[in-house]
Amino acid sequence: MASNFLRSIRVGDRLVEYAVSGCVEGEPVLLFYPLGACRCMALLLDTTARRSGARLICVNRPGMGNTSPAAACHVSTHLHTACQDAVACLDNLQVDRASILFLCAGSPFGLAFCSQFPERTTGRVAGCSAWVSPADCPNARTIYKLAASLMPESLLSHAVALGAQCFQSMPLSVFPEIDIGSSEGVMQYYEDEFGGEGEDVAVLLSPSESWGLSYRKLPFPVSLFHGEMDETVPLACGEWLCDQLPRGTRLYSMEGASHSDVLLFGVDSALRRLVRRVVDKAAESDA
């Protein structure tokens, strides 16, 4: 049953929910989910994780499901609390270090985790359809730039609907190999968990300096997977991000792939690179 893979812990006076999937003895990978998703994304990716030998750990962000919100409604507090919660879940699982995989809107959270807790990572980091702040990137879509220029209170409900549409419009048929219970059961858990999207959107629309990180000062290079036909976060944004990140970062352009294609099928390539320690000769020569 899917419920066997859904867990919760107490962190001080807060409740934190997370999920595990994949290989029990596999290499741990912290999964930072996209907007419109939740910890149950790990369950949907169970077969993919097993195929690559990974143990996925996915933590609900503050306010999502029954996970307690952050102490203050502020971008840096929301983001830092999410990272602290991930550390607490690693501790609960007795995992010293994990590789990092972020999907679209999970980008600022995954990168912030690397920046704030480098000692809890393996140094292997990958992202699919990585989000970039429209306040930073000149290649971001105009609609996101406009949203970023407005006061968050005036646009959150619209931005949440816009950002979540990408994932929530995906039919279950794109996940044909769900092993954890019935697919209907997994989706019921998935649909029952919501919340915290407003705070997530505030993070996404804020400049990266408000996230408390500097792209260039991140301790590890990143493997980026991006679709050539991505209309949500154009490939030019991925190229821009690649240029901002540390030396050794590589961008893998997926021919003909849309935003959703990479979120769904680029994960397999990303996990294999994280778990099997695939060494990119070009990146190695740059080191």
Side-chain angles (χ1 to χ4, degrees), residues 160-199:
V160 168
L162 178 65
Q165 181 180 5
C166 171
F167 189 89
Q168 292 178 336
S169 63
M170 296 178 188
L172 183 61
S173 59
V174 300
F175 296 103
E177 302 177 289
I178 298 175
D179 291 339
I180 301 177
S182 68
S183 58
E184 292 81 5
V186 171
M187 289 308 292
Q188 185 60 56
Y189 284 106
Y190 197 102
E191 293 168 357
D192 285 347
E193 294 197 357
F194 56 88
E197 290 93 344
E199 290 78 5

Side-chain angles (χ1 to χ4, degrees), residues 44 51 82 118 121 158 160 162 171 206 234 265 271:
L44 298 177
R51 198 159 45 218
T121 74
H158 300 290
V160 168
L162 178 65
S206 299
F265 307 114
L271 282 176

Side-chain angles (χ1 to χ4, degrees), residues 25-111:
E25 300 298 327
E27 293 196 36
V29 176
L30 263 178
L31 172 66
F32 292 87
Y33 56 79
L35 194 65
C38 64
R39 60 176 173 161
C40 293
M41 184 106 193
L43 308 188
L44 298 177
L45 295 172
D46 177 64
T47 297
T48 302
R50 290 177 184 275
R51 198 159 45 218
S52 61
R55 184 188 192 192
L56 286 182
I57 304 163
C58 189
V59 184
N60 271 354
R61 293 196 276 270
M64 170 59 71
N66 291 318
T67 293
S68 304
C73 187
H74 188 274
V75 166
S76 60
T77 305
H78 180 68
L79 198 148
H80 183 60
T81 302
C83 293
Q84 288 180 314
D85 289 349
V87 169
C89 292
L90 292 182
D91 289 342
N92 184 248
L93 292 168
Q94 298 183 320
V95 171
D96 291 331
R97 299 189 303 161
S99 296
I100 305 300
L101 173 60
F102 54 82
L103 310 181
C104 189
S107 303
F109 298 91
L111 294 176

Side-chain angles (χ1 to χ4, degrees), residues 255-278:
E255 185 177 357
S258 68
H259 188 77
S260 298
D261 291 337
V262 179
L263 287 182
L264 294 172
F265 307 114
V267 171
D268 186 68
S269 297
L271 282 176
R272 290 176 186 277
R273 179 160 291 274
L274 290 174
V275 172
R276 298 185 181 182
R277 301 182 177 90
V278 176

